[in-house]
PDB file of all heavy atoms in Angstrom:
ATOM      1  N   ARG B 216     -15.025 -11.174   5.035  1.00 80.00           N
ATOM      2  CA  ARG B 216     -14.179 -12.284   4.670  1.00 80.00           C
ATOM      3  C   ARG B 216     -13.196 -12.564   5.867  1.00 80.00           C
ATOM      4  O   ARG B 216     -13.265 -11.867   6.868  1.00 80.00           O
ATOM      5  CB  ARG B 216     -13.267 -11.987   3.484  1.00 80.00           C
ATOM      6  CG  ARG B 216     -14.150 -12.153   2.118  1.00 80.00           C
ATOM      7  CD  ARG B 216     -14.490 -13.542   1.790  1.00 80.00           C
ATOM      8  NE  ARG B 216     -15.685 -13.636   1.095  1.00 80.00           N
ATOM      9  CZ  ARG B 216     -15.815 -14.041  -0.158  1.00 80.00           C
ATOM     10  NH1 ARG B 216     -14.667 -14.406  -0.818  1.00 80.00           N
ATOM     11  NH2 ARG B 216     -16.962 -14.169  -0.783  1.00 80.00           N
ATOM     12  N   ILE B 260      -4.847 -14.527  -7.259  1.00 98.00           N
ATOM     13  CA  ILE B 260      -6.178 -14.037  -7.252  1.00 98.00           C
ATOM     14  C   ILE B 260      -6.992 -14.659  -6.145  1.00 98.00           C
ATOM     15  O   ILE B 260      -7.839 -13.917  -5.586  1.00 98.00           O
ATOM     16  CB  ILE B 260      -6.876 -14.245  -8.644  1.00 98.00           C
ATOM     17  CG1 ILE B 260      -8.262 -13.707  -8.630  1.00 98.00           C
ATOM     18  CG2 ILE B 260      -6.937 -15.780  -8.990  1.00 98.00           C
ATOM     19  CD1 ILE B 260      -8.368 -12.229  -8.436  1.00 98.00           C
ATOM     20  N   GLY B 261      -6.711 -15.871  -5.822  1.00 98.00           N
ATOM     21  CA  GLY B 261      -7.358 -16.527  -4.682  1.00 98.00           C
ATOM     22  C   GLY B 261      -7.137 -15.804  -3.376  1.00 98.00           C
ATOM     23  O   GLY B 261      -8.067 -15.596  -2.568  1.00 98.00           O
ATOM     24  N   TYR B 264      -9.342 -12.741  -3.010  1.00 97.00           N
ATOM     25  CA  TYR B 264     -10.756 -12.976  -2.602  1.00 97.00           C
ATOM     26  C   TYR B 264     -10.846 -13.598  -1.165  1.00 97.00           C
ATOM     27  O   TYR B 264     -11.921 -13.787  -0.673  1.00 97.00           O
ATOM     28  CB  TYR B 264     -11.429 -13.875  -3.673  1.00 97.00           C
ATOM     29  CG  TYR B 264     -11.874 -13.025  -4.808  1.00 97.00           C
ATOM     30  CD1 TYR B 264     -11.107 -12.890  -5.942  1.00 97.00           C
ATOM     31  CD2 TYR B 264     -13.093 -12.262  -4.718  1.00 97.00           C
ATOM     32  CE1 TYR B 264     -11.482 -12.155  -7.049  1.00 97.00           C
ATOM     33  CE2 TYR B 264     -13.519 -11.508  -5.796  1.00 97.00           C
ATOM     34  CZ  TYR B 264     -12.720 -11.425  -7.021  1.00 97.00           C
ATOM     35  OH  TYR B 264     -13.115 -10.649  -8.016  1.00 97.00           O
ATOM     36  N   PRO B 268     -14.146  -9.472  -0.348  1.00 96.00           N
ATOM     37  CA  PRO B 268     -15.260 -10.222  -0.905  1.00 96.00           C
ATOM     38  C   PRO B 268     -15.526 -10.015  -2.342  1.00 96.00           C
ATOM     39  O   PRO B 268     -16.006 -10.861  -3.044  1.00 96.00           O
ATOM     40  CB  PRO B 268     -16.512  -9.887   0.003  1.00 96.00           C
ATOM     41  CG  PRO B 268     -16.167  -8.533   0.602  1.00 96.00           C
ATOM     42  CD  PRO B 268     -14.690  -8.584   0.747  1.00 96.00           C
TER      43      PRO B 268
ATOM     44  P    DC C  27     -16.957 -10.134  -7.689  1.00 53.15           P
ATOM     45  OP1  DC C  27     -18.327  -9.894  -7.190  1.00 53.15           O
ATOM     46  OP2  DC C  27     -15.783  -9.399  -7.209  1.00 53.15           O
ATOM     47  O5'  DC C  27     -16.651 -11.680  -7.515  1.00 53.15           O
ATOM     48  C5'  DC C  27     -17.545 -12.596  -8.135  1.00 53.15           C
ATOM     49  C4'  DC C  27     -16.995 -14.016  -8.039  1.00 53.15           C
ATOM     50  O4'  DC C  27     -15.943 -14.119  -9.048  1.00 53.15           O
ATOM     51  C3'  DC C  27     -16.361 -14.464  -6.744  1.00 53.15           C
ATOM     52  O3'  DC C  27     -17.259 -15.410  -6.205  1.00 53.15           O
ATOM     53  C2'  DC C  27     -15.007 -15.062  -7.105  1.00 53.15           C
ATOM     54  C1'  DC C  27     -15.124 -15.199  -8.622  1.00 53.15           C
ATOM     55  N1   DC C  27     -13.823 -15.139  -9.398  1.00 53.15           N
ATOM     56  C2   DC C  27     -13.405 -16.199 -10.116  1.00 53.15           C
ATOM     57  O2   DC C  27     -14.116 -17.185 -10.148  1.00 53.15           O
ATOM     58  N3   DC C  27     -12.245 -16.150 -10.794  1.00 53.15           N
ATOM     59  C4   DC C  27     -11.524 -15.052 -10.801  1.00 53.15           C
ATOM     60  N4   DC C  27     -10.363 -15.085 -11.526  1.00 53.15           N
ATOM     61  C5   DC C  27     -11.935 -13.925 -10.016  1.00 53.15           C
ATOM     62  C6   DC C  27     -13.029 -14.016  -9.314  1.00 53.15           C
ATOM     63  P    DT C  28     -16.928 -16.307  -4.858  1.00 53.15           P
ATOM     64  OP1  DT C  28     -18.126 -16.358  -4.129  1.00 53.15           O
ATOM     65  OP2  DT C  28     -15.729 -15.647  -4.268  1.00 53.15           O
ATOM     66  O5'  DT C  28     -16.523 -17.697  -5.382  1.00 53.15           O
ATOM     67  C5'  DT C  28     -17.407 -18.233  -6.409  1.00 53.15           C
ATOM     68  C4'  DT C  28     -16.900 -19.729  -6.708  1.00 53.15           C
ATOM     69  O4'  DT C  28     -15.655 -19.639  -7.498  1.00 53.15           O
ATOM     70  C3'  DT C  28     -16.591 -20.570  -5.487  1.00 53.15           C
ATOM     71  O3'  DT C  28     -17.037 -21.810  -5.747  1.00 53.15           O
ATOM     72  C2'  DT C  28     -15.059 -20.506  -5.387  1.00 53.15           C
ATOM     73  C1'  DT C  28     -14.676 -20.448  -6.869  1.00 53.15           C
ATOM     74  N1   DT C  28     -13.358 -19.840  -7.101  1.00 53.15           N
ATOM     75  C2   DT C  28     -12.471 -20.522  -8.002  1.00 53.15           C
ATOM     76  O2   DT C  28     -12.696 -21.574  -8.447  1.00 53.15           O
ATOM     77  N3   DT C  28     -11.272 -19.767  -8.220  1.00 53.15           N
ATOM     78  C4   DT C  28     -10.936 -18.591  -7.719  1.00 53.15           C
ATOM     79  O4   DT C  28      -9.902 -18.044  -8.090  1.00 53.15           O
ATOM     80  C5   DT C  28     -11.893 -17.941  -6.899  1.00 53.15           C
ATOM     81  C7   DT C  28     -11.645 -16.553  -6.348  1.00 53.15           C
ATOM     82  C6   DT C  28     -13.069 -18.544  -6.617  1.00 53.15           C
ATOM     83  P    DC C  29     -17.358 -22.825  -4.504  1.00 53.15           P
ATOM     84  OP1  DC C  29     -18.733 -23.244  -4.698  1.00 53.15           O
ATOM     85  OP2  DC C  29     -16.950 -22.188  -3.231  1.00 53.15           O
ATOM     86  O5'  DC C  29     -16.434 -24.089  -4.780  1.00 53.15           O
ATOM     87  C5'  DC C  29     -15.900 -24.231  -6.098  1.00 53.15           C
ATOM     88  C4'  DC C  29     -14.648 -25.099  -6.052  1.00 53.15           C
ATOM     89  O4'  DC C  29     -13.462 -24.287  -6.218  1.00 53.15           O
ATOM     90  C3'  DC C  29     -14.420 -25.855  -4.639  1.00 53.15           C
ATOM     91  O3'  DC C  29     -13.752 -27.043  -4.882  1.00 53.15           O
ATOM     92  C2'  DC C  29     -13.549 -24.912  -3.920  1.00 53.15           C
ATOM     93  C1'  DC C  29     -12.612 -24.470  -5.062  1.00 53.15           C
ATOM     94  N1   DC C  29     -11.940 -23.167  -4.812  1.00 53.15           N
ATOM     95  C2   DC C  29     -10.928 -22.765  -5.612  1.00 53.15           C
ATOM     96  O2   DC C  29     -10.475 -23.554  -6.506  1.00 53.15           O
ATOM     97  N3   DC C  29     -10.243 -21.561  -5.450  1.00 53.15           N
ATOM     98  C4   DC C  29     -10.715 -20.799  -4.495  1.00 53.15           C
ATOM     99  N4   DC C  29     -10.112 -19.614  -4.270  1.00 53.15           N
ATOM    100  C5   DC C  29     -11.824 -21.108  -3.661  1.00 53.15           C
ATOM    101  C6   DC C  29     -12.439 -22.325  -3.837  1.00 53.15           C
TER     102       DC C  29
ATOM    103  P    DG D 168       0.503 -19.631  -8.714  1.00 53.15           P
ATOM    104  OP1  DG D 168       1.765 -20.187  -9.104  1.00 53.15           O
ATOM    105  OP2  DG D 168       0.356 -18.154  -8.474  1.00 53.15           O
ATOM    106  O5'  DG D 168      -0.613 -20.062  -9.719  1.00 53.15           O
ATOM    107  C5'  DG D 168      -0.934 -21.492  -9.810  1.00 53.15           C
ATOM    108  C4'  DG D 168      -2.228 -21.643 -10.592  1.00 53.15           C
ATOM    109  O4'  DG D 168      -3.324 -21.566  -9.691  1.00 53.15           O
ATOM    110  C3'  DG D 168      -2.452 -20.600 -11.685  1.00 53.15           C
ATOM    111  O3'  DG D 168      -3.175 -21.193 -12.738  1.00 53.15           O
ATOM    112  C2'  DG D 168      -3.392 -19.626 -10.938  1.00 53.15           C
ATOM    113  C1'  DG D 168      -4.199 -20.490 -10.143  1.00 53.15           C
ATOM    114  N9   DG D 168      -4.930 -20.002  -9.013  1.00 53.15           N
ATOM    115  C8   DG D 168      -4.678 -18.777  -8.388  1.00 53.15           C
ATOM    116  N7   DG D 168      -5.463 -18.516  -7.444  1.00 53.15           N
ATOM    117  C5   DG D 168      -6.273 -19.638  -7.397  1.00 53.15           C
ATOM    118  C6   DG D 168      -7.363 -19.941  -6.521  1.00 53.15           C
ATOM    119  O6   DG D 168      -7.851 -19.236  -5.576  1.00 53.15           O
ATOM    120  N1   DG D 168      -7.945 -21.125  -6.751  1.00 53.15           N
ATOM    121  C2   DG D 168      -7.533 -22.010  -7.772  1.00 53.15           C
ATOM    122  N2   DG D 168      -8.223 -23.137  -7.938  1.00 53.15           N
ATOM    123  N3   DG D 168      -6.574 -21.734  -8.631  1.00 53.15           N
ATOM    124  C4   DG D 168      -5.973 -20.564  -8.407  1.00 53.15           C
ATOM    125  P    DA D 169      -2.401 -21.446 -14.120  1.00 53.15           P
ATOM    126  OP1  DA D 169      -1.049 -21.973 -13.810  1.00 53.15           O
ATOM    127  OP2  DA D 169      -2.550 -20.275 -14.901  1.00 53.15           O
ATOM    128  O5'  DA D 169      -3.341 -22.597 -14.659  1.00 53.15           O
ATOM    129  C5'  DA D 169      -3.338 -23.910 -14.018  1.00 53.15           C
ATOM    130  C4'  DA D 169      -4.697 -24.467 -14.109  1.00 53.15           C
ATOM    131  O4'  DA D 169      -5.480 -23.818 -13.106  1.00 53.15           O
ATOM    132  C3'  DA D 169      -5.395 -24.381 -15.327  1.00 53.15           C
ATOM    133  O3'  DA D 169      -6.262 -25.540 -15.510  1.00 53.15           O
ATOM    134  C2'  DA D 169      -6.304 -23.106 -15.184  1.00 53.15           C
ATOM    135  C1'  DA D 169      -6.657 -23.237 -13.645  1.00 53.15           C
ATOM    136  N9   DA D 169      -6.879 -21.923 -13.072  1.00 53.15           N
ATOM    137  C8   DA D 169      -6.140 -20.800 -13.239  1.00 53.15           C
ATOM    138  N7   DA D 169      -6.590 -19.764 -12.486  1.00 53.15           N
ATOM    139  C5   DA D 169      -7.660 -20.317 -11.715  1.00 53.15           C
ATOM    140  C6   DA D 169      -8.515 -19.744 -10.810  1.00 53.15           C
ATOM    141  N6   DA D 169      -8.466 -18.460 -10.353  1.00 53.15           N
ATOM    142  N1   DA D 169      -9.450 -20.507 -10.280  1.00 53.15           N
ATOM    143  C2   DA D 169      -9.538 -21.804 -10.727  1.00 53.15           C
ATOM    144  N3   DA D 169      -8.765 -22.401 -11.534  1.00 53.15           N
ATOM    145  C4   DA D 169      -7.825 -21.656 -12.043  1.00 53.15           C
ATOM    146  P    DG D 170      -7.211 -25.702 -16.761  1.00 53.15           P
ATOM    147  OP1  DG D 170      -7.195 -27.167 -17.049  1.00 53.15           O
ATOM    148  OP2  DG D 170      -6.710 -24.762 -17.801  1.00 53.15           O
ATOM    149  O5'  DG D 170      -8.614 -25.322 -16.264  1.00 53.15           O
ATOM    150  C5'  DG D 170      -9.119 -26.004 -15.118  1.00 53.15           C
ATOM    151  C4'  DG D 170     -10.387 -25.341 -14.671  1.00 53.15           C
ATOM    152  O4'  DG D 170     -10.242 -24.055 -14.151  1.00 53.15           O
ATOM    153  C3'  DG D 170     -11.467 -25.118 -15.894  1.00 53.15           C
ATOM    154  O3'  DG D 170     -12.705 -25.522 -15.527  1.00 53.15           O
ATOM    155  C2'  DG D 170     -11.338 -23.638 -16.104  1.00 53.15           C
ATOM    156  C1'  DG D 170     -11.077 -23.161 -14.661  1.00 53.15           C
ATOM    157  N9   DG D 170     -10.580 -21.760 -14.594  1.00 53.15           N
ATOM    158  C8   DG D 170      -9.499 -21.249 -15.335  1.00 53.15           C
ATOM    159  N7   DG D 170      -9.243 -19.992 -14.966  1.00 53.15           N
ATOM    160  C5   DG D 170     -10.192 -19.683 -14.041  1.00 53.15           C
ATOM    161  C6   DG D 170     -10.405 -18.480 -13.289  1.00 53.15           C
ATOM    162  O6   DG D 170      -9.780 -17.464 -13.383  1.00 53.15           O
ATOM    163  N1   DG D 170     -11.481 -18.607 -12.452  1.00 53.15           N
ATOM    164  C2   DG D 170     -12.255 -19.681 -12.277  1.00 53.15           C
ATOM    165  N2   DG D 170     -13.269 -19.629 -11.437  1.00 53.15           N
ATOM    166  N3   DG D 170     -12.018 -20.801 -12.935  1.00 53.15           N
ATOM    167  C4   DG D 170     -11.034 -20.758 -13.751  1.00 53.15           C
ATOM    168  P    DT D 171     -13.830 -25.803 -16.601  1.00 53.15           P
ATOM    169  OP1  DT D 171     -14.030 -27.202 -16.727  1.00 53.15           O
ATOM    170  OP2  DT D 171     -13.413 -24.969 -17.794  1.00 53.15           O
ATOM    171  O5'  DT D 171     -14.991 -25.076 -15.865  1.00 53.15           O
ATOM    172  C5'  DT D 171     -15.098 -24.976 -14.505  1.00 53.15           C
ATOM    173  C4'  DT D 171     -16.163 -23.925 -14.132  1.00 53.15           C
ATOM    174  O4'  DT D 171     -15.507 -22.650 -14.027  1.00 53.15           O
ATOM    175  C3'  DT D 171     -17.255 -23.710 -15.137  1.00 53.15           C
ATOM    176  O3'  DT D 171     -18.430 -23.430 -14.461  1.00 53.15           O
ATOM    177  C2'  DT D 171     -16.741 -22.530 -15.962  1.00 53.15           C
ATOM    178  C1'  DT D 171     -16.137 -21.687 -14.803  1.00 53.15           C
ATOM    179  N1   DT D 171     -15.134 -20.689 -15.213  1.00 53.15           N
ATOM    180  C2   DT D 171     -15.200 -19.490 -14.608  1.00 53.15           C
ATOM    181  O2   DT D 171     -16.024 -19.119 -13.806  1.00 53.15           O
ATOM    182  N3   DT D 171     -14.240 -18.552 -15.007  1.00 53.15           N
ATOM    183  C4   DT D 171     -13.208 -18.802 -15.993  1.00 53.15           C
ATOM    184  O4   DT D 171     -12.457 -17.934 -16.297  1.00 53.15           O
ATOM    185  C5   DT D 171     -13.248 -20.042 -16.562  1.00 53.15           C
ATOM    186  C7   DT D 171     -12.263 -20.523 -17.603  1.00 53.15           C
ATOM    187  C6   DT D 171     -14.234 -20.951 -16.166  1.00 53.15           C
TER     188       DT D 171
END
Side-chain angles (χ1 to χ4, degrees):
Chain B
R216 285 288 151 113
I260 181 63
Y264 280 96

